Amino acid sequence: MNAVSFDSLGDVLGRIWDAATTPVPAPPQSVVLAMALAALAVVLVTPVWRIARHVVTIAHEGAHALVATLTGRRLDAIRLHSDTSGLTVSAGRPRGFGMVATTFAGYVGPGLVGLGAAWVLRAGYAVGLLWLLVVLLALLLLKVRNLFGLWSVLVAGAALVAVSWWLDEPTQSAVAYAVTWFLLLGAVRPVLELQAQRFRRRARQSDADQLARLTGLPGLFWVAVFLLVTVGALALGAWWIVGPVWT
């Protein structure tokens, strides 16, 4: 019984590894552009965006968590809320590079994840990208400390697993492109929403205002940097996706 179980697990992992490490042909440009338009519609249509924004929040808080860990801070908890807000709690020095980098990472995180995804797609590993995202969500799940956060990460992970395991290769590739476009495009809108909230004085504890207190530079400066990075990631990522392939 145990031997059969281990053999079965080995077969499953082997199948996943083979699928993730095997390059697949890029879909037709018409499909790539259709996925871009679909992602843009999700970002621009507010009722749909309110639901899809949870994906951006996961990437936002994941970026806080990753940078906190890389800079030597102790990652304590991640919480994701039904209003699309989130909170990442880490322990360490209250000031200094680690705190600044951790605070900065959130709003630029989704765009940079999208940029990395575009690079993976350009290399031909669309299915590998889907499985990589599943792994990242599984790691994030280890630090989520509220029920809604657990539910949202599990749903996102289960959807990616279903696509990666059961759907055919062209559909998997199309989904990988749609996810990448959404991360690139969806990273920009929260920055604009942030400044709108700051203008109405409803975001006094925002990442930009925390950075202002940590660095002495005004919050508007940090919003501008967030926007520069996210728009830059969108432009470069779009070029990697639709531009000429490296030779």
Side-chain angles (χ1 to χ4, degrees), residues 52-146:
R53 196 184 193 281
H54 289 291
V55 174
V56 177
T57 302
I58 290 171
H60 179 117
E61 300 304 328
H64 280 314
L66 175 62
V67 175
T69 302
L70 292 177
T71 56
R73 299 180 63 80
R74 189 184 76 242
L75 180 61
D76 290 336
I78 299 169
R79 294 183 176 87
L80 306 168
H81 303 131
S82 59
D83 63 355
T84 74
S85 66
L87 177 66
T88 298
V89 180
S90 63
R93 292 180 56 195
R95 305 189 71 86
F97 173 77
M99 189 62 186
V100 171
T102 299
T103 306
F104 176 77
Y107 276 96
V108 302
L112 294 180
V113 172
L115 183 61
W119 185 86
V120 174
L121 290 179
R122 190 173 180 86
Y125 295 98
V127 181
L129 171 62
L130 296 176
W131 283 115
L132 177 59
L133 293 174
V134 170
V135 171
L136 293 176
L137 287 172
L139 293 174
L140 189 70
L141 196 63
L142 298 175
K143 287 294 183 178
V144 174
R145 294 293 183 267
N146 69 319

